[in-house]
Amino acid sequence: MSIEVTTLDPWTDADEWNRYVERSDGTNPFFRAEALRLQAEDTGTTPHLIAGFKGQEAVGLFPIFSYERGPISGAFSPAPRSWSCYLGPATLNVDKLKQRKADRRIKRFLEGSIEWIEREISPHYTKIVAAEFEDVRPFVWNGYAVEPGYTYVVDLEGSKEELAKRFSSDARNNIRNADEDEYVVEEGGNDDVARIVEQVARRYESQGQPFHLSPDFAQAAHATLPDGSIRPYVCRVDGEFVGGILVVESDTTRYRWQGGVKPDTDVDLAINDLLDWHVMRDGLEDGLERYDLVGAGVPSINRYKAKFNPRLETNYTITSGAFGLDVLVDRYRKLR
């Protein structure tokens, strides 16, 4: 039986789409229909919820955003400059298949999705970031450029003591020697979401780097997605916010989405070590399996992340079309 590729409406079919998202191992909260609608609104794009079916059984999901301004058209997943967590394709009901059948099913779903994108959007440029999705061969076979990217992942296993023992000595000392009477690390509220994003924006600005994530978008995601999908971990000293990390949480994984930058104030505490430790410790206690540190491509930042003894995982940036059009799309967005 062939794979039928169709689209679901992000409003009227939201419940159906979300049921498939919840059943797929390769998704996160940003795949949910309400998150896709927020991304589309924030970026001036149109969301397309591509789904593949084998009979009545859902086998694949592929959220795509189309962008059209003047002569420029593009297809993106995630949306251009949205700063959302990973998107790209995801599969369902393939884990128990033999390799030949799994290969055939994934190939048919992706090729059907590519045909839909070419037919309905006709993009001059396509950019997809795929993580927790390994079989990108159909993109290569269809003429796309595939470039590997990297992230660090900490496996949340064993006891809290065993987890901390795997860290570097300085990380362990920073956690164990911190005076618990001098700070509080806790999960904050919606106002703390904005505080974390604004702190990151100031850090980027001080380094002369662009930062496109708006506090309004992050706060809307926190308020709209199911409880626990976005967790703003904050560190307070004398009741004042000094640092934070925005964590995205799926059924198995916590993602270090935003935050963890150099604190604005000078305090005698390893703020980010304490934040990351509480994120991992709480995830372990809640039965989660992984802490994705989201990125391992910047040497200066890698040194910090590597002290938690993570393993390296690969993700992929998949592109097609005219080089540099993503930059032009960004310029068009600024003129909206």
Side-chain angles (χ1 to χ4, degrees):
M1 184 180 294
S2 62
I3 303 299
E4 179 188 2
V5 171
T6 186
T7 56
L8 302 183
D9 187 276
W11 287 268
T12 59
D13 297 324
D15 289 344
E16 179 183 359
W17 173 267
N18 286 342
R19 285 197 299 272
Y20 301 143
V21 169
E22 291 165 1
R23 286 163 45 195
S24 171
D25 293 333
T27 61
N28 62 67
F30 280 99
F31 275 79
R32 294 182 63 88
E34 57 268 40
L36 299 175
R37 296 196 300 262
L38 285 173
Q39 291 173 69
E41 181 181 358
D42 185 57
T43 58
T45 56
T46 301
H48 306 278
L49 281 54
I50 300 174
F53 294 88
K54 186 176 185 292
Q56 298 298 312
E57 180 184 51
V59 300
L61 304 172
F62 198 165
I64 285 286
F65 297 85
S66 60
Y67 188 91
E68 294 185 9
R69 287 295 183 277
I72 296 175
S73 65
F76 300 86
S77 184
R81 301 301 194 268
S82 69
W83 288 66
S84 70
C85 217
Y86 310 123
L87 285 181
T91 56
L92 302 83
N93 304 309
V94 299
D95 291 344
K96 296 181 180 179
L97 297 178
K98 293 182 179 180
Q99 190 65 47
R100 186 174 67 174
K101 287 187 177 180
D103 286 353
R104 183 168 62 236
R105 182 172 293 188
I106 292 170
K107 180 175 181 291
R108 289 175 176 175
F109 167 61
L110 287 182
E111 289 187 342
S113 299
I114 291 169
E115 289 175 6
W116 188 95
I117 293 167
E118 293 298 324
R119 182 179 68 250
E120 300 296 332
I121 301 176
S122 300
H124 296 95
Y125 180 76
T126 301
K127 184 175 182 179
I128 300 156
V129 180
E132 298 177 55
F133 185 89
E134 296 181 354
D135 193 356
V136 295
R137 293 174 299 170
F139 289 106
V140 176
W141 298 333
N142 282 272
Y144 287 72
V146 176
E147 180 179 353
Y150 304 94
T151 188
Y152 282 133
V153 174
V154 177
D155 291 316
L156 304 180
E157 56 188 14
S159 66
K160 291 185 295 182
E161 292 74 18
E162 290 169 333
L163 176 61
K165 190 175 181 180
R166 297 195 293 270
F167 298 168
S168 67
S169 59
D170 68 308
R172 289 197 307 272
N173 290 334
N174 288 338
I175 294 164
R176 292 171 177 170
N177 296 337
D179 186 345
E180 294 184 359
D181 292 332
E182 294 188 4
Y183 73 95
V184 172
V185 172
E186 61 185 358
E187 187 175 338
N190 199 256
D191 289 344
D192 291 310
V193 173
R195 291 187 180 100
I196 293 169
V197 174
E198 288 163 357
Q199 186 181 55
V200 176
R202 289 193 296 271
R203 182 61 177 167
Y204 271 73
E205 182 180 358
S206 71
Q207 297 177 327
Q209 299 294 323
F211 184 73
H212 301 282
L213 179 65
S214 74
D216 290 344
F217 171 78
Q219 286 184 294
H222 177 257
T224 304
L225 289 169
D227 289 347
S229 297
I230 310 291
R231 297 186 182 273
Y233 271 77
V234 296
C235 182
R236 307 187 202 276
V237 174
D238 296 328
E240 297 295 324
F241 170 90
V242 294
I245 294 174
L246 278 184
V247 176
V248 177
E249 183 173 301
S250 71
D251 288 342
T252 62
T253 305
R254 285 188 159 188
Y255 303 88
R256 193 184 198 267
W257 178 33
Q258 296 292 335
V261 298
K262 184 178 180 180
D264 300 323
T265 56
D266 187 16
V267 293
D268 190 22
L269 288 167
I271 301 298
N272 292 323
D273 288 42
L274 294 169
L275 283 164
D276 279 307
W277 167 240
H278 280 76
V279 172
M280 286 184 270
R281 184 200 68 184
D282 293 354
L284 177 66
E285 290 179 345
D286 290 345
L288 296 173
E289 300 171 6
R290 309 161 71 246
Y291 182 38
D292 186 338
L293 293 165
V294 185
V298 180
S300 59
I301 300 176
N302 292 350
R303 186 173 178 223
Y304 170 80
K305 294 181 178 181
K307 67 182 179 180
F308 299 115
N309 194 32
R311 55 186 170 79
L312 196 65
E313 282 197 358
T314 305
N315 50 50
Y316 301 95
T317 298
I318 303 159
T319 57
S320 176
F323 175 77
L325 262 181
D326 55 339
V327 177
L328 292 178
V329 167
D330 184 42
R331 291 175 180 171
Y332 269 73
R333 277 198 59 205
K334 292 177 181 177
L335 296 174
R336 286 195 293 128

